[in-house]
Amino acid sequence: MSVIQVQRKPLSLAERTYIPQILSGMKTTMKHIVAKPVTVNYPEERPEIPPGYRGVPTLVRDPHGREKCVSCQLCEFVCPPKAIRITPGEIPADSPNAHVEKGPREFEINMLRCIYCGLCQEVCPEEAIWLQNVYSSSGYTRAEMVNNKQKLYELGGTLPDTHLKWDKKKAAAEKH
Amino acid sequence: MIDFYFSLPDIVRYIIQGIAVICFLFPVGAACSMAERKVAAWAQDRPGPNRARPWLLARIPIIGPILGYFGIFNLMADGGKLLFREDITPGHVNKFYFVMAPIVAMTPALSTIVFVPFGAYLDSAGQILPVMLANVDIGILGVFALASLSVYSLILAGWASNSKYPFLGAIRASAQLISYELSMTLAVVPVLLWINAPGTTGSLSLVRVVEFQSQPGFWGGMWFVFIMPVSAFIFLITIFAETNRQPFDMPESEADLVGGYHTEYGSYKWSLFFVAEYCQMIVGSGIFILLFLGGWNPLPWIPLADLVNWLHDLLHWQWLMHPIFVGLLSIGIFVTKVLIFIFIFMWVRWTLPRFRYDQVMRIGWQRLLPLSIANLVVYIIAIALLQK
Amino acid sequence: MSAPTATAATPDLVTVNIDGRDIAVPRGTNVVEAARLLGVNVPHYCYHPKLPVVGNCRMCLVEMGVPAVDRETRQPVIDPATGKQKINWMPKLQIGCGTNATPGLHIRTTTPAVRQARESVTEFLLVNHPLDCPICDQAGECDLQEQAIAYGRGCSRYIEDKNVKPKHTQLGPRVMLDDERCILCSRCIRFTKEIAKDDVLGFIDRGSHSTLTCYPGKQLSNNYSLNTVDICPVGALTSTDFRFKMRVWFLKQTNSIDTESSVGANTVVWSREGQIYRITPRRNDEVNDTWMPDSGRLLYKQVRAENRLTTETPLADLIAQAKSLLTGAAAPGSSGMGDSPMGSGGMADPAMRTGAAAPSTDESSVPHNPHGRVARATQSIALVASARSTMAEQYLCKKIADQLGIPVGAIHVPAHLGQGDGLLVSADRTPNTRGALLCGLATGLPKPQLTQLAADIDAGKIKTLLVINEDLAEAGITPEQLAKVSIIYLGTHANATSAAAKVVIPTQTVFEKDSSFVNQQFRLQRSKAAIPGHPGTHNDLVVLSHILVNLGGHDFAGSPIAAWSRLSEETPELAGLDYLTIPETGRVLDSTRFAHLAFPETEGLHYKPAAERQEESGARMQESEARP
């Protein structure tokens, strides 16, 4: 028996006049009229962004200013709308980070394509790409909406890092 | 200055008074549209329109931000927009009636105010004299006569638009108006019976109704809403229906009729319909207040004269008894009541959903009409017994 | 693929049982290959089917057992429980790569012991392996990565410091070594020693400090060095050219052919979004095993080379210009072609050059018979076709020559010869000399120098040249001679001939078109288009079929399938073949018609010159006669 027959209860006299319902409805409306608005005056007031918010994807540096991305292109691979485009490159031998060997020569995220799913952050083995609290991006041209490497680092800034894997690696090589 | 005013010929005075009233009524009608948007916003937990900030006016300290907050600048921008927008007249309409319809809408809306006493002052003898444009005996009858003309504008608009949705809207409007006109009139009759004791000179004047609610004593000072709650209730509902307000706005009914009778209208002509609706609401609320809520009397059992005397005794300021002050005070009290009433209109609008059309008809004919007839019969018997 | 090497008549098969299933494999097959035939994967690092077995990675450990035999009676011991012969399981695991199939051999690859062995090997390998996967080019095609997912622990028990080894050592001009990643499988050492015969690699030090290195003063610089990168199971050896360019999982693989010589090594072209990133060998046991020369891996650079010819002129205009040159030359009494305002060669852009050539031709004066042959009159046209063209293109060239009435003597196919390296680069440096012979374009062996053509030009017999992707300057035509003739050039890259040409129609490389070639073994092989055509170039076959149609010939619509349907009808060796059914590993054609020709190729991998082959087959025939 998938269908349950429910007896419709006949309306009482008060219900048939609608008046108690109307009055209780008006009471509810009045409660809202005197309540504080739940919206904010957007550009002047900004909503508080909770931790873990998935805003615009950004690239971050480690506390020592090293760019964390090694251009493994996993984010490019996992990105469902194919918004990420990385041109990998070799880190020059005279760089202090030469031991990392590989880094992005160019890193572009097309914000017209990005769907803010956060898979890039999830897949990143170096914890270099983070969806942070920037939630509004705008531009007058399509080209403006493509965040290049420089813009991504400006947006991302520096995040704390507990691993410092590459620093340890460099220290081990120097000890040797 | 007052002497100069009273020294003017009557016709000039009437014209000045008429223009003054229109100058008040029209902007208030327009402001109601902004009030509606603000009330809607508050009922929906949001701030509502408050972003228009003209660069010079908004800089005025304190006032500027307050005006901005209440959306006054939005209102001005709205008006300007509607005024200067391209006025499109569709090719398939009957041009003459199409243009006439909004004018016909405005005419009764602005002219019914003639019969409405919106204040009073005391002459030197302490006699109450009403502030109104035409203190004629037909009073309420004139209001009803002119107010029912407003449906013509809807019918004209719907017919002249030569398009099915406006036409349906117009048909609905006329049917609805006829259905509720009857109950409305019948609901008012007990009030008029009450004030017209047998043997006295009969009058339909609304001033008389207010005077009856300003008498001393328990029964004398009692507003008619307490004596005739059912009449007040029926009248209230029919005002909603007559002014096409939610939950009775079937003629507009944008869910099924696009824009109802004004679908084909735009810019200034459309805004005239809009303002006319609010003017009707203002007049309708005024009539209700006069009939059932004591008119310009501040509170039940406290008539205007008592308030003025009491204030005078307390403060001993001579100008408290001056007719101009008393007149302004009474107008203030009346307008305040009207504004509260309009707020109730909006409050209801943002609470209730729209009735179905068959429900509108059933309520009108099968509920309100029998109820008002029964009400009338009961009061006829009661008044006959009381006045015997 | 790892097909029986024994003669097909008497296959010497042995039956082994792997995971409870019997399979008959040729004698000499090892357990890893036998399991592969059953679809059972035995993981391994050091084993490679084309390299000697060393068995040092220990990843392919399996359980083995042999049927029990009573020592005294030599009778099979029957297990009373099952009623079958009892299996004596060896107490310890054996390596699959180093064990050949023997009759009745039993293998188990799924037991806990095997799994534990694999997990242990993996854990040991990962002890010192760096966590480089994000930057490692091998990621995505790394054996260790795959086995670590299947048999790894997920987290390391190793808390000591990992070994530190040199991370970027340049082993040779094209090969980079990261010693930390090396798992000491020695595949590269075996390859250089056994296949490339250039023994330069070896291990130094012991235990976990073992390090792969070149012998002092030597370099891994031979023409096969990049094969070590291919066979490296981890990312220790990487290609300098491909290093850090693109992750392999983005690359589309297209089967292709190495066109640098008549070996026709099978390749895979790896491309992404119309750009080729690398070329690797494709296994074909009859042609190139799993190897290919380094030189063939760089061919993709020609696609975006700086001297690539392109044009913005619509193809129809180019064809019209070519046609007016050709028909003008073919018409009787045509004159004035030699003193056209062209030939200065001062303008660099071929499109501009062809554009300027257009007004000099007067089409209205050209008598043209749309449905018949163009009026056969003079022999002032010569065709220089190419042994680098595909079969279909050569066929269409032949058709155009027929249509224009060019005699056989005026069809020239220059040869490109070099030294064969005895492996995968042959002396004939064109991929399709035999194709030209098959379709009748070439009547004899091509010669490197076109002396006959030079003489004809000097004699004024040849006024117009249709050149298909060949640089006449290389073939011994002097610039003065080039200036004497009107040249229509179809080619991919700019050279002296294209500079002197009146009409240049840019065409496409092998990576941009579907093609087919016949290699030195008379093996017909197919290559697929890996990337779309470079902007401003046109498919050769389309251009040729347009020219042919304009000359009144059959319309092949630029389709290799259409061309092939006619070609296979007209060529006895190709009877019954069509373009789409050429197998991935190629089809060997009957070569008896050309047995008399002395091809320049010397012995190479899977190839012996015809003379030696005849000796061999003669010996076999004697053998088979002697047998009964």
Side-chain angles (χ1 to χ4, degrees), chain C residues 321 324 340-342 352-363:
Chain C
Q321 288 161 24
S324 62
S340 76
M342 289 314 306
M352 286 177 68
R353 196 155 55 243
T354 51
S360 72
T361 57
D362 187 2
E363 205 162 342

Coordinates of all heavy atoms in Angstrom, one line a residue, chain C residues 321 324 340-342 352-363:
Chain C
Q321 N 46.1 29.5 -60.6 CA 47.4 29.9 -61.0 C 48.2 28.7 -61.5 O 48.8 28.8 -62.6 CB 48.1 30.6 -59.9 CG 47.6 32.0 -59.6 CD 48.0 32.5 -58.3 OE1 49.0 32.1 -57.8 NE2 47.3 33.4 -57.7
S324 N 46.8 27.5 -64.8 CA 47.1 28.3 -66.0 C 48.6 28.1 -66.4 O 48.9 28.1 -67.6 CB 46.8 29.7 -65.7 OG 47.6 30.2 -64.7
S340 N 58.2 36.2 -67.8 CA 57.2 36.8 -66.8 C 58.0 37.6 -65.8 O 59.2 37.4 -65.7 CB 56.5 35.6 -66.1 OG 57.3 35.1 -65.1
P341 N 57.3 38.5 -65.2 CA 58.0 39.4 -64.3 C 58.6 38.7 -63.1 O 59.1 39.4 -62.2 CB 57.0 40.5 -64.0 CG 55.7 39.8 -64.2 CD 55.9 38.8 -65.3
M342 N 58.4 37.4 -63.0 CA 58.8 36.7 -61.7 C 60.2 36.3 -61.8 O 60.9 36.6 -62.8 CB 57.9 35.5 -61.5 CG 56.5 35.9 -61.2 SD 56.5 37.1 -59.9 CE 57.5 36.3 -58.7
M352 N 52.5 36.6 -51.3 CA 52.7 37.8 -52.1 C 53.2 37.4 -53.5 O 52.8 38.0 -54.5 CB 53.6 38.8 -51.4 CG 53.0 39.4 -50.2 SD 54.1 40.5 -49.4 CE 54.3 41.8 -50.7
R353 N 54.1 36.5 -53.5 CA 54.7 36.1 -54.7 C 53.7 35.5 -55.7 O 53.6 35.9 -56.8 CB 55.9 35.1 -54.5 CG 56.8 34.9 -55.6 CD 58.1 34.5 -55.1 NE 58.1 33.3 -54.3 CZ 58.5 33.2 -53.1 NH1 58.8 34.3 -52.4 NH2 58.4 32.1 -52.4
T354 N 52.9 34.6 -55.1 CA 51.9 34.0 -55.9 C 50.9 35.0 -56.3 O 50.4 35.0 -57.4 CB 51.2 32.8 -55.2 OG1 50.8 33.3 -53.9 CG2 52.1 31.7 -55.0
G355 N 50.6 35.9 -55.5 CA 49.6 37.0 -55.8 C 50.1 37.8 -57.0 O 49.4 38.2 -57.9
A356 N 51.4 38.1 -57.0 CA 51.9 38.9 -58.0 C 52.0 38.1 -59.3 O 51.9 38.7 -60.4 CB 53.3 39.3 -57.7
A357 N 52.1 36.8 -59.2 CA 52.2 36.0 -60.4 C 50.8 35.9 -61.1 O 50.8 35.7 -62.3 CB 52.6 34.6 -60.0
A358 N 49.8 36.1 -60.4 CA 48.5 35.9 -61.0 C 48.2 36.7 -62.2 O 47.8 36.2 -63.2 CB 47.4 36.1 -59.9
P359 N 48.4 38.0 -62.2 CA 48.1 38.8 -63.4 C 48.9 38.5 -64.6 O 48.5 38.8 -65.7 CB 48.3 40.3 -62.9 CG 49.1 40.2 -61.6 CD 49.0 38.8 -61.1
S360 N 50.1 37.9 -64.4 CA 50.9 37.6 -65.5 C 50.4 36.5 -66.4 O 50.9 36.3 -67.5 CB 52.3 37.3 -65.1 OG 52.3 36.0 -64.5
T361 N 49.5 35.7 -65.9 CA 49.0 34.6 -66.6 C 47.7 35.0 -67.3 O 46.8 35.6 -66.7 CB 48.7 33.4 -65.7 OG1 47.8 33.8 -64.7 CG2 50.0 32.9 -65.1
D362 N 47.5 34.7 -68.5 CA 46.3 35.1 -69.3 C 45.5 33.8 -69.5 O 45.8 33.0 -70.4 CB 46.8 35.7 -70.6 CG 45.6 36.3 -71.3 OD1 44.5 36.2 -70.7 OD2 45.7 36.8 -72.4
E363 N 44.5 33.7 -68.7 CA 43.7 32.4 -68.8 C 42.9 32.3 -70.0 O 42.7 31.2 -70.5 CB 42.8 32.3 -67.5 CG 42.5 30.9 -67.2 CD 42.0 30.8 -65.7 OE1 42.3 31.7 -64.9 OE2 41.4 29.8 -65.4

